[in-house]
Amino acid sequence: MVFGSVISSPRGNLSFQQAMEVAKICLEHAGKAQDPDIALVFCHDTEVSLHQAVKVSQRADNQSMRHGVATGYIRLGRVLEDQGYLSTAKAIYKKAEKLGTKVQGHGHLAQSVDAQSIAPSMKSTVDSVVDTPQEKPRQPVPSQERTKKVSDTVTLPTHVFAENARPPTVMAKLPEPDERLLNTPQLAYCLALLRDSHELDDLLEPSTRKWIHIVENDEDEHERLKVLALDVIRTFKKEEIKDAKAVAEVVCLAPVIERDIFRDLLRSFYDGIDHSALLDIHQLQGLAHLIQGADTGYLEADDLVKILGLLTTRLRETHKQSPQHIYQLTLAASYVLDAMADTNVEGLDRETLHEPLSMYLDALKGNAEPYLMYQAAYACQALLCVPDNETLWQATIRRTGKVIQGVSGLVSAVKGLDLNGFMDGLKDIQQGMAGASEVVQVVVTAFDGVKSLTSSGQGFMDGLVEGLSFKRKCAWYSALRGADTLIRDGEFVGFRKLVCEAPCRMEAAFQWGVCQRLGEVAGNPTWDVHIRRSAAGFLGAMYRSDEVWRLQASVKEWIIAILLQLSATTGGTQQYVVSLLQELETSCNDKDKADIQACRERDPSSNPLKLALPQLASPSLLDRVQNKPDVEGTLRLLRKQRLKERENAIYIQPQAKAGLKVSDDDRFPLKEKVQTFLESNQKVFLLLGDSGAGKSTFNLQLECDLWQDYKKTSGRIPLHINLPAIDKPEQDMIAKQLRKAEFTEPEIRELKMHRKFILICDGYDESQQTHNLYTSNRLNQPGEWNAQMLISCRSEYLGVDYRDRFQPGDRNSRPDPGQFQEAVITPFTPDQVQDYIKQYVSVHQPLWEAKEYEQALDLIPSLKDLVRNPFLMTLSLEVLPRMVDPGEHVSATQVTRVALYDQFIEHWLERGKKRLSEKELSPQAKAAFESLVDEGFTQNGIDFLKRLAVAIYKEQGGQPIVKYSRFKDEKTWKAEFFSREDEKQLLREACPLTRNGNQHRFIHRSLLEYGLALAVFDPHDWKEKAVSAPVSSRRGSTCSAYSFQIDGTTEEEVNPVEQVPDINSPLAWRYFINDPSVLQFLCERAQKEPVFRKLLLDYVEYSKKDSVWRKAAANAITILVRSGERFHGVDLKNIRIPGADLSYGMFDSANLQDADLRKVALRGAWLRCADLRRAQMSGVQFGELPFIKEDVGVHSCAYSPDGNSIAVSLDDGVINIYSTSNWDRTRTFSGHNRRVRGIMFSPDGNRFVSGGNDCTVRVWSIESGSCIHTMTDDWGEVNSVAYSPQGDTIASASDDTRIRIWDVETGECKLILIGHTSYVVSIIYSSNGHHIASGSWDLTVRIWDVVMETCLHTLRGHGSWVYGVTYSPQRDRVASCSGDGAVRVWDVETGTCCRVLRGQSGFIYTVAYSPQGDVIASGNSDNIVKLWDPETGTSRHVLTGHSGAVNCVAFSPNGGHISSASDDGTVRLWDIGSGGTRQAPVGHSSGVLSVKYSPQGNHIVSSRKDGTVRICDVETGDYRRTLAGHSDWVRDIAFSPRGDILASGSDDRTMRIWDMETGACRQTFNGHDHWIMTIAYSPRGDRVASGDYLGIVKIWDVEAGECSHIFIGPTNSIWSIMCSPNRNQIATSSYDGTARIWDVDSGVCLYTLGGIRGIAYSPRGDFLASAGNDMTVRLWSMETGECCNILVGHSNMVNFVTYSLSGDQLASGCGGGAVKLWNVETGDCVHALVGHTTGITSLVFSPNGSELVSGSDDKTIRLYDALSGQCLAVIQDLNHSIKSIDWNPAPTANCFVVVCVDGSARRWQVTGEGDQRHVRMCWGPTDDIFSVRNALIQDVRGLSQLNKQLLEQRGAVGEPFVRLRELSKKVISMASAVSGLKQHSNEVVPDPTSSASVSVEQLEKQDQEE
């Protein structure tokens, strides 16, 4: 303790409160005491009491107690400061810091810290233990006596050494028992702790004290550490050559070894120096350090006398060395003499020891090297201090009336202590000295009395020769020794004062020594960077103020030489020193500039400066003692190799996002994210990205960066593993990679047991892995490899549940998401693209300049997106100059991914051909080359590439690396490609292949995939030679967009020919469903090459007749579906496509009779009205399961623990149990008489608990069906119930704001948790049962400790009632949902909100974590279920289908399904683990505001939110032209009567006139002050009317291009404008419910009609029909403006009216959904058309008036026969309300286009006649809806019962085929039994939609057997 160990009274039995009370009383007395001695006694008693309180708090492990004690220490320190005991106060403050409270400053600098401001310390080191000495109380000294001013001081900038610093110390990890030590400093640290543990116990960290306790009680471990130290020394002694590293290693052990061992080591150094022929400088330096670090009593005077005698002899024998060598000898001598002075050696023999050494040093005074003269002078001064009975300091102090023991006593006092102990060594010098400032004052006071030594201004060289003569004691030596002491202890404030105020500060020798010490501080990386910069700044300040300092030229040159050496070092000061040198050079005079330049030209190292300590050897002595192989040597070679491989590489730092579903806009620097991961305790980082996204490049660069920062022996080893190159990487992949790098087995064992790795595993997808490599390699398990893993994989390779393959864990537990992190590389930004182009041009110097590439990116529409992929960027830059035709504008070039690869391969082969032609070839090779050229070298190369790709897939399953051994593989398929035949060698050399030893591979995986795709379809292969003509040499069909002419090149013109499917095509022998990259290439081919599309269709057609084509057909139709091919109404009868992926395919009204659809993926497929009769559909995957339909609303649902049952609670109090295998109801429980709000199964699944609005909690037995307990809560309705994981208690939440804990066996209430202030509506137990989370209408979530019966956290943040809470499986997170539309994720430990999930409107009623913790599901009042990624906060999926609010969501135990309960009376089961890949959305999926047919019906035009107008192909819906010009939404479009002109009105307040033929903008009309809402052409086409949001209507003269009239009528937005067919009138309707009729010529408003919701002109224009709020339709005469007829019959407001083309019929639709047909002449209602359930939004007659189409807010479209009123067809399964419908005006087209409110557009075709009319989709998005409405499934074979239920629920028609033979019954029974056993053992939910039963290959085998 600070005040000693004597305790005035016993306090060991005091409690914490008692000890603190005693401390408080003592402190009060201390503060009031007038006598400092009395105050000191009370302070002592205070400290003793606080010490007792510390012990109590440690036993209790109570942080609050520790904060209280820390406050007491702070107040004690302030009292000590007031009494003048500054050093003691400083030590007390350090005690407070040890307890976790940060003190702002120490001693007299300490600032007041109140208890409220106490904050836990974030750093605590052993330094604070060492810096806290044992100190005796001393009398305070008045301030005026403590400081004595020295006049004529030198000033420095205030930032230079403005504060002290903690001295550098080496801390090390404390080893486990028997664990191998990393290095000798770690061993020394451990032995030091064990030696001084009793003195340091109070101030050590708990973990350190625990380690000491373990080792002290383990005699074997304690002895092992001591023996290791002894063995290190013994090994050192045996070394023949003892280099600096070996010396440094044993010297660090010197302070902690026993006396006998120390003396033995000392003798070893002595003998080594004595017996060496040449002076061993390293041993001499080691001897000096050994003496300096010796403990009390370890050295004897005779030892040092003997050493000095040896030293004198050796120096005399070696004086004829070079100046550099002599300097090192002299420097070593100085160390020894300093040590001798410190140990107070006296009585040296002047004749035999002093004089010879003195003469040797005196002889150096004439040396030409100033640094050598300085060091000799310094050694002389040290020698003068050794033998004298009276030192310089003694003499000077005596002259001022003071007595000092001497230099030896001064220095020995500070050994291992801070300056407080240093001052204790000064006896009777000055009363009450304490702290660093007194050291300075002692030195200054001593120098004041030395008048004769102030030789200021004397030249250094002259002074040495004339004045000093090396025989007189000088003040500068003593001052420098004091400076050394201050620097060593970090007292830089005192050092600054000493240097600036010392009387000898003008002496060159002093200045030289100061500069040397400043340089060594600035160059020592163990000091803080601010201190190092201050040291360099000190040198700069001295140089600038050379006149004040009176610097000699040699000193100034010394300063510059030091700074030049520092500028060449790496670290935090290099740039600072470089800037400082530049500043000095620019600000000095010409002479100094010349001197600085001269210094630059000399070698700076010629002036020696000690900048760094020697590192330990590799292997070190300790390594050898522990039998450690020299792994560092092999690692050094590996590092050198890997760094060399990355030279001149183009690299752009990638950016990434947090997950696959996250927007690319939410990006961050990937390197920073990975660095954070590497600094954390997480284990696995998954790096995802598209093919060519730059994953491998990043991995290689990361390895390079880590190697650059690698630290020997202690650093983690970066190891890049190319997974495809490792055989079975799931087993011991690290050892396999190290063997490839030529590590020996002993080295591998050493690395495994004692080193840590950073694994960079590249190409998980290429290695075709399914294993979790972290788990299978047992990483971080006992005795296994210690590593963090970064693993990369292509995004398209992964399925939905991919995280299970990567999350860390062991074989016996679930993966731990908390140890896992992922990121997805995002595409290049425009800035990154530009940077890459600049680097590429600089390195490769291509044909184009950077600006030409940038211009191409701006002008080629399709290129910008492609080059955001780094690999495609490289390809683009490589081949882009070749892809632009001479004379053709760059913007006309069409670029796709497959086109880039086409050009890249050809370019690569052409370069290879050129390279080979210039190469010196053997005669045989040259002949082979010429033969290849004659046949077409490029074509031969491409054929070679295709054949190799096919062979790799066929023989190796796509594993990309081929290992070829000449003798082993010469008779295998590999010889065809890798033998030594000349042609094969030439083709290999020309192709994009790389070789590493005997391993061959493509330079990038995607080139292998491209080769296979090219083998499926090569455009060049489907040509027929015809007439010779000058055409391009490029390969590609004439229908390709990148064919062109080149002058002077003559080849044969080619034309596509009829082709037939090839049974040997890869399509026929490999399924490509799991090869997304190959599929992408093939899909692009299909989109660009009509001949390929036809070929694929032929494959499908061939499968109808012969099953041998079924694999090819499955691949073909998968490619067609993904490329956007539509099969609406197509005859696919008898096709055989087992295993195909038809997900999201469009098959409206397709004929699939007798098709083989086994194991086909149909997730989201549009099969409306498809004919599936007699199709084989076993194993088909729909991605959904049937739902449960109840008669009343469902409030809650819950899975049984084994997943075999699901419980459903209803609003009428009934609880039903269903089997998840067939959805049959197995039990019904009745007892509650009101809604059941909560339900949960017991952990064993034998019981469940329910709670409801009848204020009861009931426990039910599943087996008996009876109620076991009924617990009544008389105070409120029960809102939620939860079983504890142990199953012994139940928690319930109710309206009375309380949570009750019930005993399951007795039914008694054991505990009530009180804290909420409103209804508690949700509760959940943590997975260990210790905590409960609750959500309440008081807007809070609370975390309760059930054991302690306390509330741990109250979580606030929601803005509305909290409805649901859920715990993560790992117990570290709680998610809550609220009426504010947000899900919040909370950290359980800290109570902070770590993420807010937003994106749902309405109230969110329920929330649930998946069993794996990687998904959160929520359900809301908008009838949707949403899946979230809890780590990124992004939405993964939106599940729609409910028609009522979602009250509950629940995950199945295996996480594969989600059940959702809704007010609509259904429980829906969602499959989140199966399904295919979504093809790119078609063009009309969103953003469409309006769609209209041209008058002739040959065009469809859409206006869009992106500011464009798009002209579409009527038949396909593909965009043919985009009209760009508007800068905001285009709300409306209108055709001129002839259809050649189009007008568009936009939110940018302009109207544009477009030429339909050319797409050019003819005119732009400006003038509106707000958005243009609607426009209309006049019947003659000479005028256009436009209406805006402010109610202004403008008439524009198209010919004149100006506004002719402005109509100002309503104050609200214009709804619509209609031009009269035969009059100069327009009618407008607006949002204020009015319609106005305007005269176009005069601009006069003719009539105003009120209460209007819609209007329509009759075809002749003589009448206007209006839809009214009064539920009527009115007909108005346009001649008189009077109402001619009122049509009554609607029971709701009329929304819409429209005339038939003939004008004799009128249709109207109302808000209730009714549609009425009226006879215009009679006003009678002809037909009342029913069917819609909500408001009508659109009505349109067919051109011939025979049909009427209606659209509604009920998301349906209905087709009626206008004559009979019969409903001919209903279009359902749309996700959104209908906005508008437009019928094709062409008389024979019979089709219409529909726009929904989500901005999607679809075209529908009406087929058939009379009652047999049908409607099928032609094109448009399907909204990812699985639709089978009206699909025919009669006699479908193989459907499971659940899939049959699903199809029936979705509206399919017919009865599937059921086999009833006994054999089938037995098989089914056996399968059910086996399935049941598996489910019982694995506790998982069966997956009826998965492909688990049989593979496609097994299906083929079954067919063969049949």
Side-chain angles (χ1 to χ4, degrees), residues 180-195:
R180 175 171 295 190
L181 278 81
L182 301 176
N183 49 50
T184 307
Q186 182 190 25
L187 175 61
Y189 177 68
C190 294
L191 292 172
L193 285 176
L194 293 169
R195 185 190 63 181

Side-chain angles (χ1 to χ4, degrees), residues 457-515:
Q458 188 177 16
F460 178 47
M461 303 294 286
D462 295 338
L464 292 178
V465 177
E466 298 174 9
L468 299 179
S469 72
F470 282 38
K471 296 182 181 293
R472 184 179 59 191
K473 299 176 182 177
C474 298
W476 58 265
Y477 171 73
S478 300
L480 290 176
R481 295 305 312 283
D484 287 336
T485 302
L486 294 170
I487 290 173
R488 187 186 64 192
D489 293 334
E491 300 287 355
F492 288 100
V493 176
F495 173 83
R496 169 190 168 121
K497 185 174 180 64
L498 168 63
V499 174
C500 292
E501 298 182 6
C504 61
R505 62 186 175 276
M506 306 300 180
E507 293 192 42
F510 178 71
Q511 293 169 353
W512 188 284
V514 168
C515 292

Side-chain angles (χ1 to χ4, degrees), residues 1102-1251:
Y1102 273 41
S1103 74
K1104 294 179 179 180
K1105 300 176 182 178
D1106 192 339
S1107 62
V1108 72
W1109 297 99
R1110 61 185 171 187
K1111 188 175 291 187
N1115 284 320
I1117 199 167
T1118 298
I1119 296 167
L1120 288 167
V1121 167
R1122 292 195 182 187
S1123 62
E1125 186 77 14
R1126 305 175 187 90
F1127 293 90
H1128 300 316
V1130 176
D1131 183 7
L1132 299 174
K1133 184 177 181 180
N1134 289 317
I1135 64 168
R1136 294 176 173 88
I1137 54 169
D1141 184 0
L1142 306 185
S1143 297
Y1144 311 105
M1146 291 179 275
F1147 297 88
D1148 194 294
S1149 305
N1151 182 2
L1152 287 162
Q1153 293 182 52
D1154 301 298
D1156 185 353
L1157 304 179
R1158 290 174 295 173
K1159 296 186 69 63
V1160 169
L1162 289 169
R1163 188 187 189 103
W1166 186 272
L1167 292 162
R1168 175 185 169 275
C1169 297
D1171 190 344
L1172 293 165
R1173 287 178 293 177
R1174 298 179 302 280
Q1176 296 188 35
M1177 300 184 70
S1178 59
V1180 70
Q1181 304 170 49
F1182 294 120
E1184 299 181 32
L1185 292 179
F1187 55 81
I1188 299 172
K1189 178 60 179 170
E1190 301 284 3
D1191 295 331
V1192 295
V1194 184
H1195 200 83
S1196 183
C1197 60
Y1199 278 96
S1200 63
D1202 60 7
N1204 291 335
S1205 301
I1206 188 170
V1208 175
S1209 67
L1210 309 181
D1211 285 350
D1212 60 3
V1214 171
I1215 301 168
N1216 290 324
I1217 308 294
Y1218 290 87
S1219 169
T1220 57
S1221 63
N1222 54 19
W1223 246 207
D1224 288 343
R1225 184 186 302 172
T1226 58
R1227 278 195 179 276
T1228 297
F1229 296 83
S1230 299
H1232 290 284
N1233 53 35
R1234 296 175 62 189
R1235 171 185 289 175
V1236 179
R1237 303 185 66 91
I1239 188 169
M1240 188 175 186
F1241 278 91
S1242 64
D1244 60 10
N1246 295 326
R1247 300 178 179 182
F1248 70 88
V1249 62
S1250 61

Side-chain angles (χ1 to χ4, degrees), residues 906 951 1781:
E906 290 189 18
I1781 303 175

Side-chain angles (χ1 to χ4, degrees), residues 1821-1848:
T1822 61
D1823 288 342
D1824 297 352
I1825 295 174
F1826 171 62
S1827 175
V1828 289
R1829 192 170 302 279
N1830 296 325
L1832 299 176
I1833 60 171
Q1834 185 67 36
D1835 294 331
V1836 166
R1837 299 170 181 266
L1839 272 182
S1840 67
Q1841 183 62 29
L1842 287 180
N1843 280 339
K1844 176 178 177 292
Q1845 279 183 258
L1846 173 66
L1847 296 181
E1848 290 174 349

Side-chain angles (χ1 to χ4, degrees), residues 1449-1475:
V1449 291
F1451 280 90
S1452 63
N1454 67 355
H1457 298 105
I1458 296 175
S1459 292
S1460 57
S1462 169
D1463 282 344
D1464 63 7
T1466 66
V1467 177
R1468 289 185 177 264
L1469 186 64
W1470 312 91
D1471 178 8
I1472 61 173
S1474 68

Side-chain angles (χ1 to χ4, degrees), residues 3-33:
F3 291 94
S5 59
V6 180
I7 301 178
S8 58
S9 57
R11 292 175 172 81
N13 296 324
L14 293 181
S15 67
F16 179 83
Q17 290 79 7
Q18 291 171 330
M20 292 297 293
E21 186 64 23
V22 172
K24 178 181 178 183
I25 295 171
C26 293
L27 194 58
E28 289 176 354
H29 287 293
K32 296 176 182 178

